[in-house]
Amino acid sequence: MANSTFNSVTACRITLILYVLYITIVTARVLPYTPENSIAAIYDTSKYGVLQLGNGLASTPQMGWNSWNYFRCDFDEKVIKEIADALVSTGLSKLGYNYVNIDDCWSEPDRDAEGKMVPDLKAFPSGLKSLADYVHSKGLKLGIYSDAGLYTCQSRPGSLKHELDDAALFASWGIDYLKYDNCFNLGIEPQERFPPMRDALNATGRAVFYSLCEWGVNDPALWAGKIGNSWRTTDDIIDSWESMTTIADINDKWAAYAGPGGWNDPDMLEVGNGGMTYEEYQAHFSIWALMKAPLLVGCDVRNMTAETYEILTNEEAIAVNQDPLGVQGRKVDTQGPDGCYQIWAGPLTGQRFVVALWNRCSERATITAKWDTIGLESSTSYSVKDLWKHDYVSLNSMTSFSAEIESHACKMYIFAPAGAASAA
């Protein structure tokens, strides 16, 4: 009876603790609402799943590097080590770019006699455990790739029906991140194929970031929050203005489902790969940061131009992406021909807002953001700081703010109550 009483009391205490934790997390993300500004209506987070997967990862969107956009299948352990070295030597790792993610093509075409995946013997003669040890020695984390199908997209072994064995193998190597693709899936619903790997990773006891790459086919924002730490909402990005803008619009519609623990993923960054102009890459990075998208560099960080480096190391833009409030910014207004003058915005901690004025037209234009459109209080004046000039452009703006924006350019600002800027 004493043990029964003790267990009941303990259970009650645990229940109370979990309830307090639940309320703390929920209230931390509740946005202020008044009939005047309707902030909660504009930046709805009601569909965000509290605690999400609950593996302790992804309190903010993941940052790092991925091999696919630049290298495709042309890489080896020497390249991966040099990338890790470059992340450290350039200072990118200090800014949060900590994951070194190997995409498709790392394995041999077939499993071994015991049914295990085998790293490509020519590309990784030292093995992936050795490579993970090297990456970890740099203070970084190593990611790997597999597929929720019979084969990967490049016809290497997939992990469908091998989840427990593959997860245990990855954990034994010291893997910290798994990108899990969607090829050769036998027509099995993703809601059935992706959870087994979640369970297998959790069973290893190792904290592994689980990144679902379902391409948005079955609207993963509706169901992936309890399965992974991020989920692709779109098809693969291409290094072009058309691809980048299309993907941004698709990802935007799922904004209400993202939050700490689970993020919408519009695919990796193309900044520095040569297919867009400086202004377009700057817009790409600005909108990805505002949308709380994963910031996974897709260029060769061993050989970055000064412009690429400037974009990827913008600490103020990164701070927007990593803001602990964790509310995905979104498109709040469109103006001009075909809606190509756009205003994107989102709330941040400290009563601040990030606002992006994005000119997707072919000519220079003046874009105006009005307080009621953004969700600001009409009676409050705001300071406006340009995150690419790193300077204030206004210390006392009232009711609206306008700026001239070049074609395909995007200016990104922090709006804060005017008194806060004066105090700073």
Side-chain angles (χ1 to χ4, degrees), residues 111 117 146-152 156-160 162 166 180:
R111 294 175 178 270
M117 286 183 170
S146 190
D147 192 284
L150 291 180
Y151 303 98
T152 72
R156 270 62 170 182
S159 291
L160 185 65
H162 291 271
D166 290 353
Y180 207 45

Side-chain angles (χ1 to χ4, degrees), residues 262-306:
W263 306 100
N264 292 316
D265 177 7
D267 207 4
M268 299 164 288
L269 294 167
E270 290 283 8
V271 176
N273 283 330
M276 288 184 264
T277 66
Y278 169 73
E279 289 78 16
E280 290 168 348
Y281 278 140
Q282 194 178 72
H284 177 21
F285 193 82
S286 297
I287 296 300
W288 259 237
L290 179 147
M291 290 195 299
K292 302 295 189 292
L295 297 182
L296 295 174
V297 178
C299 70
D300 185 354
V301 294
R302 302 171 303 175
N303 299 292
M304 291 183 287
T305 65

Side-chain angles (χ1 to χ4, degrees), residues 134-190:
Y134 183 87
V135 170
H136 292 157
S137 75
K138 300 293 179 178
L140 304 171
K141 299 177 181 180
L142 185 65
I144 208 169
Y145 166 101
S146 190
D147 192 284
L150 291 180
Y151 303 98
T152 72
C153 298
Q154 298 299 314
S155 300
R156 270 62 170 182
S159 291
L160 185 65
K161 307 303 181 183
H162 291 271
E163 292 88 355
L164 285 172
D165 290 341
D166 290 353
L169 184 64
F170 300 157
S172 73
W173 289 339
I175 299 299
D176 304 293
Y177 187 113
L178 176 65
K179 176 182 174 181
Y180 207 45
D181 218 334
N182 196 40
C183 288
F184 298 99
N185 57 47
L186 302 181
I188 303 171
E189 291 297 314

